[in-house]
Short mmCIF file of all heavy atoms in Angstrom, two decimals:
data_model
loop_
_atom_site.label_atom_id
_atom_site.label_comp_id
_atom_site.label_asym_id
_atom_site.label_seq_id
_atom_site.Cartn_x
_atom_site.Cartn_y
_atom_site.Cartn_z
N MET A 261 12.19 94.57 -19.54
CA MET A 261 10.71 94.39 -19.16
C MET A 261 9.89 94.74 -20.50
O MET A 261 8.92 94.08 -20.75
CB MET A 261 10.34 95.23 -18.05
CG MET A 261 10.48 94.50 -16.74
SD MET A 261 10.02 95.47 -15.33
CE MET A 261 10.55 94.45 -14.03
N ARG A 262 10.20 95.93 -21.12
CA ARG A 262 9.36 96.45 -22.13
C ARG A 262 9.35 95.52 -23.39
O ARG A 262 8.52 95.62 -24.24
CB ARG A 262 9.61 97.80 -22.43
CG ARG A 262 10.75 98.13 -23.37
CD ARG A 262 11.05 99.51 -23.60
NE ARG A 262 11.87 100.01 -22.59
CZ ARG A 262 12.98 100.73 -22.85
NH1 ARG A 262 13.22 101.16 -24.05
NH2 ARG A 262 13.70 101.21 -21.80
N TYR A 263 10.39 94.59 -23.41
CA TYR A 263 10.50 93.62 -24.59
C TYR A 263 9.89 92.26 -24.28
O TYR A 263 9.83 91.40 -25.18
CB TYR A 263 11.94 93.62 -25.07
CG TYR A 263 12.57 94.94 -25.38
CD1 TYR A 263 13.39 95.62 -24.51
CD2 TYR A 263 12.25 95.43 -26.63
CE1 TYR A 263 13.88 96.77 -24.86
CE2 TYR A 263 12.79 96.70 -26.98
CZ TYR A 263 13.67 97.28 -26.18
OH TYR A 263 14.18 98.58 -26.45
N GLY A 264 9.51 92.11 -22.96
CA GLY A 264 8.94 90.83 -22.65
C GLY A 264 9.97 89.64 -22.65
O GLY A 264 9.58 88.48 -22.74
N GLY A 265 11.25 90.03 -22.57
CA GLY A 265 12.36 88.84 -22.56
C GLY A 265 13.66 89.65 -22.67
O GLY A 265 13.69 90.81 -22.85
N VAL A 266 14.73 88.81 -22.38
CA VAL A 266 16.09 89.32 -22.30
C VAL A 266 16.53 89.69 -23.66
O VAL A 266 16.50 88.85 -24.64
CB VAL A 266 17.02 88.50 -21.55
CG1 VAL A 266 18.45 89.07 -21.60
CG2 VAL A 266 16.53 88.22 -20.16
N VAL A 267 16.98 90.90 -23.96
CA VAL A 267 17.48 91.28 -25.22
C VAL A 267 19.13 91.23 -24.98
O VAL A 267 19.66 92.07 -24.28
CB VAL A 267 17.14 92.78 -25.62
CG1 VAL A 267 17.70 93.07 -26.97
CG2 VAL A 267 15.65 92.89 -25.64
N PRO A 268 19.82 90.26 -25.60
CA PRO A 268 21.16 89.96 -25.39
C PRO A 268 22.05 91.24 -25.45
O PRO A 268 22.91 91.57 -24.60
CB PRO A 268 21.56 88.97 -26.38
CG PRO A 268 20.29 88.14 -26.61
CD PRO A 268 19.21 89.29 -26.58
N GLU A 269 21.97 92.07 -26.47
CA GLU A 269 22.74 93.23 -26.74
C GLU A 269 22.60 94.21 -25.61
O GLU A 269 23.62 94.80 -25.03
CB GLU A 269 22.43 93.81 -27.96
CG GLU A 269 23.16 95.17 -28.38
CD GLU A 269 24.57 94.99 -28.60
OE1 GLU A 269 25.12 93.92 -28.93
OE2 GLU A 269 25.28 96.14 -28.33
N LEU A 270 21.37 94.39 -25.17
CA LEU A 270 21.04 95.32 -24.09
C LEU A 270 21.60 94.77 -22.76
O LEU A 270 22.15 95.62 -21.87
CB LEU A 270 19.58 95.61 -24.02
CG LEU A 270 18.97 96.35 -25.15
CD1 LEU A 270 17.44 96.60 -24.81
CD2 LEU A 270 19.59 97.70 -25.40
N ALA A 271 21.53 93.53 -22.55
CA ALA A 271 22.07 92.96 -21.42
C ALA A 271 23.66 93.18 -21.29
O ALA A 271 24.12 93.47 -20.16
CB ALA A 271 21.81 91.36 -21.45
N SER A 272 24.36 92.88 -22.38
CA SER A 272 25.74 93.10 -22.39
C SER A 272 26.13 94.47 -21.94
O SER A 272 27.03 94.77 -21.13
CB SER A 272 26.40 92.85 -23.68
OG SER A 272 25.87 91.63 -24.26
N ARG A 273 25.42 95.49 -22.57
CA ARG A 273 25.71 96.95 -22.22
C ARG A 273 25.42 97.29 -20.76
O ARG A 273 26.19 97.96 -20.20
CB ARG A 273 24.79 97.79 -23.18
CG ARG A 273 25.18 97.75 -24.64
CD ARG A 273 24.32 98.72 -25.40
NE ARG A 273 24.21 98.39 -26.70
CZ ARG A 273 23.61 99.08 -27.59
NH1 ARG A 273 23.02 100.22 -27.30
NH2 ARG A 273 23.44 98.73 -28.86
N ALA A 274 24.34 96.73 -20.26
CA ALA A 274 24.00 97.04 -18.86
C ALA A 274 25.01 96.39 -17.98
O ALA A 274 25.46 96.99 -16.95
CB ALA A 274 22.51 96.47 -18.59
N HIS A 275 25.52 95.20 -18.38
CA HIS A 275 26.59 94.61 -17.49
C HIS A 275 27.81 95.42 -17.40
O HIS A 275 28.35 95.68 -16.41
CB HIS A 275 27.03 93.22 -18.07
CG HIS A 275 26.08 92.08 -17.76
ND1 HIS A 275 25.61 91.71 -16.52
CD2 HIS A 275 25.38 91.18 -18.53
CE1 HIS A 275 24.82 90.70 -16.50
NE2 HIS A 275 24.66 90.36 -17.72
N GLN A 276 28.13 95.99 -18.60
CA GLN A 276 29.31 96.84 -18.71
C GLN A 276 29.16 98.04 -17.79
O GLN A 276 30.16 98.52 -17.15
CB GLN A 276 29.44 97.36 -20.18
CG GLN A 276 30.67 97.93 -20.54
CD GLN A 276 31.77 96.84 -20.74
OE1 GLN A 276 31.47 95.77 -21.18
NE2 GLN A 276 33.07 97.27 -20.45
N GLN A 277 27.94 98.60 -17.70
CA GLN A 277 27.71 99.73 -16.83
C GLN A 277 27.79 99.37 -15.44
O GLN A 277 28.16 100.07 -14.48
CB GLN A 277 26.32 100.40 -17.12
CG GLN A 277 26.37 101.19 -18.45
CD GLN A 277 24.90 101.65 -18.80
OE1 GLN A 277 23.96 101.11 -18.45
NE2 GLN A 277 24.89 102.82 -19.48
N ASN A 278 27.07 98.21 -15.08
CA ASN A 278 26.91 97.81 -13.62
C ASN A 278 28.15 97.12 -12.91
O ASN A 278 28.25 97.21 -11.69
CB ASN A 278 25.80 96.79 -13.53
CG ASN A 278 24.40 97.41 -14.06
OD1 ASN A 278 24.25 98.59 -14.00
ND2 ASN A 278 23.41 96.57 -14.37
N ILE A 279 29.05 96.58 -13.74
CA ILE A 279 29.97 95.65 -13.09
C ILE A 279 30.81 96.31 -12.12
O ILE A 279 31.08 95.90 -10.99
CB ILE A 279 30.77 94.75 -14.07
CG1 ILE A 279 31.45 93.61 -13.34
CG2 ILE A 279 31.79 95.61 -14.93
CD1 ILE A 279 31.34 92.33 -13.97
N ILE A 280 31.39 97.55 -12.43
CA ILE A 280 32.39 98.12 -11.50
C ILE A 280 31.60 98.58 -10.14
O ILE A 280 32.01 98.22 -9.11
CB ILE A 280 33.09 99.25 -12.11
CG1 ILE A 280 34.09 98.66 -13.18
CG2 ILE A 280 33.86 100.09 -11.10
CD1 ILE A 280 34.97 99.66 -13.90
N PRO A 281 30.55 99.33 -10.24
CA PRO A 281 29.76 99.74 -8.99
C PRO A 281 29.35 98.43 -8.20
O PRO A 281 29.48 98.48 -6.96
CB PRO A 281 28.65 100.48 -9.38
CG PRO A 281 28.69 100.59 -10.87
CD PRO A 281 29.83 100.03 -11.42
N VAL A 282 29.06 97.29 -8.85
CA VAL A 282 28.39 96.22 -8.08
C VAL A 282 29.68 95.56 -7.43
O VAL A 282 29.55 95.19 -6.17
CB VAL A 282 27.72 95.22 -9.15
CG1 VAL A 282 27.62 93.86 -8.47
CG2 VAL A 282 26.37 95.71 -9.48
N VAL A 283 30.83 95.39 -8.07
CA VAL A 283 32.04 94.85 -7.40
C VAL A 283 32.41 95.72 -6.21
O VAL A 283 32.75 95.22 -5.15
CB VAL A 283 33.09 94.62 -8.51
CG1 VAL A 283 34.43 94.11 -7.71
CG2 VAL A 283 32.70 93.46 -9.45
N ASP A 284 32.52 97.01 -6.51
CA ASP A 284 32.97 97.93 -5.44
C ASP A 284 32.14 97.84 -4.20
O ASP A 284 32.55 97.78 -3.11
CB ASP A 284 32.90 99.38 -5.91
CG ASP A 284 34.19 99.72 -6.72
OD1 ASP A 284 35.12 98.89 -6.80
OD2 ASP A 284 34.13 100.82 -7.48
N LYS A 285 30.70 97.70 -4.39
CA LYS A 285 29.84 97.68 -3.32
C LYS A 285 30.02 96.19 -2.53
O LYS A 285 29.91 96.17 -1.30
CB LYS A 285 28.38 97.79 -3.76
CG LYS A 285 27.43 97.73 -2.61
CD LYS A 285 26.07 98.52 -2.99
CE LYS A 285 24.99 98.31 -1.96
NZ LYS A 285 25.28 98.21 -0.62
N ALA A 286 30.21 95.20 -3.40
CA ALA A 286 30.27 93.77 -2.72
C ALA A 286 31.51 93.86 -1.85
O ALA A 286 31.48 93.39 -0.69
CB ALA A 286 30.49 92.82 -3.79
N ILE A 287 32.63 94.49 -2.29
CA ILE A 287 33.85 94.53 -1.47
C ILE A 287 33.70 95.45 -0.21
O ILE A 287 33.99 95.07 0.94
CB ILE A 287 35.14 94.90 -2.31
CG1 ILE A 287 35.45 93.82 -3.30
CG2 ILE A 287 36.33 95.25 -1.47
CD1 ILE A 287 36.41 94.17 -4.41
N ALA A 288 33.03 96.57 -0.43
CA ALA A 288 32.75 97.45 0.65
C ALA A 288 31.88 96.84 1.72
O ALA A 288 32.11 96.81 3.00
CB ALA A 288 32.18 98.76 0.30
N ASP A 289 30.66 96.20 1.20
CA ASP A 289 29.81 95.55 2.11
C ASP A 289 30.42 94.40 2.96
O ASP A 289 30.03 94.05 4.08
CB ASP A 289 28.63 94.95 1.37
CG ASP A 289 27.63 95.90 0.87
OD1 ASP A 289 27.91 97.23 1.08
OD2 ASP A 289 26.62 95.56 0.31
N ALA A 290 31.46 93.72 2.36
CA ALA A 290 32.10 92.60 2.99
C ALA A 290 33.13 93.18 4.09
O ALA A 290 33.56 92.42 4.93
CB ALA A 290 32.91 91.78 1.92
N GLY A 291 33.34 94.50 3.99
CA GLY A 291 34.27 95.05 5.05
C GLY A 291 35.67 94.56 4.81
O GLY A 291 36.39 94.44 5.73
N ILE A 292 36.04 94.37 3.55
CA ILE A 292 37.49 93.92 3.31
C ILE A 292 38.06 94.83 2.32
O ILE A 292 37.44 95.79 1.77
CB ILE A 292 37.48 92.45 2.79
CG1 ILE A 292 36.76 92.40 1.44
CG2 ILE A 292 37.01 91.49 3.76
CD1 ILE A 292 37.29 91.26 0.51
N THR A 293 39.39 94.75 2.09
CA THR A 293 40.05 95.48 0.96
C THR A 293 40.36 94.45 -0.24
O THR A 293 40.39 93.19 -0.01
CB THR A 293 41.31 96.10 1.38
OG1 THR A 293 42.25 95.03 1.79
CG2 THR A 293 41.15 97.11 2.55
N LYS A 294 40.49 95.06 -1.34
CA LYS A 294 40.75 94.17 -2.55
C LYS A 294 42.09 93.30 -2.31
O LYS A 294 42.18 92.17 -2.67
CB LYS A 294 40.98 95.10 -3.75
CG LYS A 294 39.69 95.72 -4.18
CD LYS A 294 40.04 96.55 -5.44
CE LYS A 294 38.76 97.26 -6.00
NZ LYS A 294 38.68 98.67 -5.57
N GLU A 295 43.01 93.93 -1.46
CA GLU A 295 44.39 93.19 -1.31
C GLU A 295 44.14 91.95 -0.45
O GLU A 295 45.08 91.08 -0.52
CB GLU A 295 45.22 94.22 -0.56
CG GLU A 295 45.75 95.36 -1.47
CD GLU A 295 44.69 96.41 -1.87
OE1 GLU A 295 43.74 96.60 -1.13
OE2 GLU A 295 44.80 96.83 -3.02
#
Side-chain angles (χ1 to χ4, degrees):
M261 272 178 188
R262 82 181 87 130
Y263 301 100
V266 178
V267 183
E269 172 67 24
L270 296 181
S272 317
R273 291 187 206 182
H275 282 306
Q276 194 77 34
Q277 283 174 336
N278 294 340
I279 194 137
I280 291 177
V282 163
V283 169
D284 278 348
K285 182 157 171 39
I287 289 171
D289 286 1
I292 61 154
T293 62
K294 294 180 179 101
E295 288 65 38

